[in-house]
Every structure is written in structure tokens, then in C-alpha cells.
């Protein structure tokens, strides 16, 4: 999953998490500008599409079946959050 900020101000991400699932987890988060990002802490995504975060999700089910989960991106300054 790729995240970018097309707004005009930096976007403060306060954390990323997978909700409602034990079969999915965040494997890694990488910034196109600054390397690794700790998903529990987050960071700042630069505006105007200058930076992209790549979120790698891992799927590891314990049994066969249908699975769903939600990737939550918590923000500190998004007026639409």
C-alpha cells in the first residue's frame, strides 16, 4: 500500500495499525525520503506528493477461509480525520 500527501502542508501520521484481524500485520513501512518508519510512532509525510510511504502488509492465516482487516492510518493534523 502506498501513502502520499497531495496537500500543501506536511501530514503528521501518529501511527499505523491493522485492526480487526490476526491474519494480517504490518511487515514494514518505508519512506521514499528517509528509509524506515516505525508504524507504532509514525512520522511526517511531506506535502505536494514529494514523499511516498510504502506499507508492506503480511498475510499469515492460521486456517483456510475468507479474511478481512482494516489498515488504520492515524493522523494528528488532517482536517478530514
Amino acid at each position: 500500500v502506498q501513502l502520499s500527501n497531495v496537500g500543501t502542508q506536511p501530514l503528521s501520521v501518529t501511527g499505523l495499525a491493522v485492526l480487526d484481524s490476526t491474519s494480517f500485520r504490518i511487515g514494514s513501512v518505508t519512506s521514499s525520503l528517509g528509509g524506515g518508519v516505525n508504524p507504532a510512532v509514525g512520522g511526517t509525510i511531506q506535502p505536494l506528493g514529494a514523499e511516498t510511504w510504502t506499507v508492506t502488509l503480511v498475510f499469515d492465516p492460521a486456517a483456510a477461509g475468507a479474511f478481512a482487516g482494516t489498515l488504520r492510518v492515524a493522523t494528528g493534523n488532517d482536517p478530514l480525520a
Side-chain angles (χ1 to χ4, degrees):
V1 175
Q2 291 192 321
L3 304 174
S4 63
N5 173 12
V6 298
T8 60
Q9 298 298 313
L11 176 63
S12 173
V13 176
T14 56
L16 295 103
V18 174
L19 307 177
D20 307 322
S21 179
T22 58
S23 298
F24 294 95
R25 65 178 171 82
I26 296 174
S28 64
V29 181
T30 305
S31 165
S32 61
L33 298 179
V37 176
N38 181 338
V41 176
T44 300
I45 301 177
Q46 295 304 311
L48 303 173
E51 179 178 20
T52 300
W53 285 8
T54 300
V55 181
T56 302
L57 299 172
V58 176
F59 178 60
D60 187 18
F67 299 90
T70 301
L71 176 61
R72 179 176 182 260
V73 180
T75 62
N77 65 336
D78 183 356
L80 302 176

